[in-house]
Amino acid sequence: MSYDPPPPSYPYRPPESSPSYDTYPWVPQQPPQPPEPAGRRPQRHAALGHHSDLRVLRSAYRWQRRVATLTALGYFVLFLILSAFAPSFMTSTVTDGLPTGLLLALVQVPVTWLAIVLYEQTARRRVDPIADRIRKQAELDAKREATR
C-alpha cells in the first residue's frame, strides 16, 4: 500500500509566477508607479525632517522649559532646604506673629505665576517665531510640490 499525499487546497503556483498570483484576488492591484521625469529640478531646500530650523526650535523649546521649571522648582527647593537646615530662620517672625516660613510659603504662589509668565514670554520671543518660520516654509514647499 502506497501513501499518496492529498492534493493541495490552494491553486498551484508556477515557479515563475505571473503578476496575478502576487496578491489575493480580493485585494485590488496597484498600478505601477510612473518613473520620475528626467528633467526634474533638484529641490532648493532640504526636506523638512532634515531642516536645521527644527534643531533650533527644539533647543529653544528646551531652554524655555528649563527656565520655567527652574524658576518654580528652584524656589520650592530653596524653601525646603531652608525648612530643613535653618529652622530658627524659618520660625523667626517678620511682623506681628507672621513667621518667615509662612511668608515664604505664601510667596510660592506668585513665584509659580512668575514661572508661567516667563514660559509665555519665552514662547512668544524665542519659540513661536521659529515655529512660524518652519510652518511657512513647509507651506511653501507643499505648494511647490503641488505645482510640479
Side-chain angles (χ1 to χ4, degrees):
M1 186 166 172
S2 69
Y3 175 74
D4 290 330
S9 61
Y10 53 89
Y12 174 72
R13 184 173 179 169
E16 293 184 20
S17 66
S18 65
S20 64
Y21 286 109
D22 289 341
T23 60
Y24 293 104
W26 56 85
V27 177
Q29 296 269 339
Q30 295 293 327
Q33 296 293 329
E36 293 187 21
R40 187 173 181 187
R41 297 182 313 197
Q43 288 183 344
R44 292 180 64 193
H45 301 285
L48 187 61
H50 303 292
H51 211 278
S52 63
D53 282 345
L54 290 177
R55 285 192 302 268
V56 173
L57 179 65
R58 279 192 302 265
S59 66
Y61 183 59
R62 193 177 307 126
W63 187 84
Q64 175 194 21
R65 287 184 315 218
R66 285 179 186 158
V67 167
T69 302
L70 290 177
T71 301
L73 287 180
Y75 183 81
F76 184 67
V77 168
L78 175 69
F79 177 76
L80 290 178
I81 289 172
L82 286 174
S83 297
F85 297 110
S88 61
F89 172 73
M90 296 297 275
T91 56
S92 64
T93 58
V94 177
T95 58
D96 297 327
L98 181 65
T100 307
L102 181 60
L103 181 65
L104 291 176
L106 292 174
V107 171
Q108 180 68 40
V109 173
V111 168
T112 304
W113 289 340
L114 175 69
I116 293 169
V117 168
L118 281 174
Y119 188 85
E120 289 178 355
Q121 283 182 348
T122 55
R124 279 191 216 108
R125 198 172 9 144
R126 295 178 183 248
V127 179
D128 289 346
I130 299 169
D132 290 339
R133 188 172 63 227
I134 291 173
R135 188 177 301 113
K136 288 177 186 175
Q137 184 65 40
E139 289 173 359
L140 287 174
D141 289 343
K143 286 180 183 177
R144 285 186 194 127
E145 285 295 320
T147 60
R148 288 186 183 174

